[in-house]
Amino acid sequence: MTPRQAILIKESYEKFGPNRELAAKLFYDNLFNIAPETRALFPDDMTGQYHKFTAMFRIIVGTIDKFDELEKQLRGLGARHAKYHARDEHFGAVGEALMMMLAKRFGTSFTPELKYAWTAAYWRLAMIMQDAAEKAAPKPAPATADPEFYYVG
C-alpha cells in the first residue's frame, strides 16, 4: 500500500458521513447475502457488532499509514476471529461486502483509484489477520495408537 493510497483512504473516510452504524448494517447485510453461512457466527441482535465494526473501522483508518502500530491490533483481531470459527474463505466474502458497502456509501466518488486503495488496504489487513487466525486456531490432537488394538492375548 502506498502513502498516496493511505491519504485517499483517510480523506474518503472523512466524507463517510455521520451515520457510520448504517454503514456497518449495510456491510453485514452484504456479507450475509454473499456468504449466508457467516450469519451463524454472529449474535441475533447485531447492535453491539455494529458498534465494534465502526470502532475498529475508525482505528484502522486512523492508523492506516502506521501499519507497525496497527499490526498488533490486527493480530489480536485475527486470533479472536479464529475463536469465532472464521475461515479463510470468509475473508474474500468480507472484502467483497466491504467494497459493496463503500461503493454504496461513496457513490460516484468511489473512483477506480479509491477502490484500489481500499482494496489494497483490506487485503493487507486480511493477510495479517489470517496469519494470526491460523496461528491461534486450535490444533487437532495428534493421532495416538489405541493400546487395545495392539493387545494380543
Side-chain angles (χ1 to χ4, degrees), residues 9-146:
I9 288 169
K10 284 186 173 214
E11 288 176 351
S12 66
Y13 183 76
E14 292 302 317
K15 300 172 188 170
F16 207 72
N19 193 350
R20 292 188 168 98
E21 293 210 7
L22 183 59
K25 181 182 181 332
L26 179 59
F27 166 78
Y28 284 106
D29 288 348
N30 291 337
L31 178 61
F32 300 151
N33 284 329
I34 294 164
E37 73 280 4
T38 61
R39 183 61 186 97
L41 303 177
F42 296 92
D44 291 338
D45 180 0
M46 291 290 292
T47 306
Q49 189 63 35
Y50 298 156
H51 292 302
K52 289 177 188 177
F53 177 88
T54 56
M56 184 49 89
F57 202 70
R58 184 176 49 254
I59 290 167
I60 288 169
V61 170
T63 56
I64 199 74
D65 54 348
K66 302 172 191 140
F67 251 80
D68 294 344
E69 293 175 26
L70 182 57
E71 187 170 349
K72 183 177 179 182
Q73 290 188 40
L74 292 173
R75 290 200 169 279
L77 187 60
R80 286 191 304 277
H81 276 70
K83 293 176 187 168
Y84 305 146
H85 306 289
R87 298 188 313 260
D88 281 347
E89 60 266 23
H90 294 153
F91 285 90
V94 166
E96 187 178 344
L98 178 66
M99 292 308 125
M100 290 170 65
M101 181 270 289
L102 292 170
K104 178 104 174 160
R105 276 311 267 210
F106 294 132
T108 58
S109 65
F110 198 50
T111 63
E113 182 183 27
L114 184 56
K115 181 178 181 178
Y116 188 75
W118 278 99
T119 302
Y122 172 73
W123 282 109
R124 186 166 179 193
L125 302 169
M127 296 303 286
I128 293 167
M129 288 178 60
Q130 281 179 296
D131 180 62
E134 183 178 307
K135 289 177 180 167
K139 306 296 184 251
T144 57
D146 182 354

Side-chain angles (χ1 to χ4, degrees), residues 144-153:
T144 57
D146 182 354
E148 291 192 25
F149 179 76
Y150 294 105
Y151 179 73
V152 179

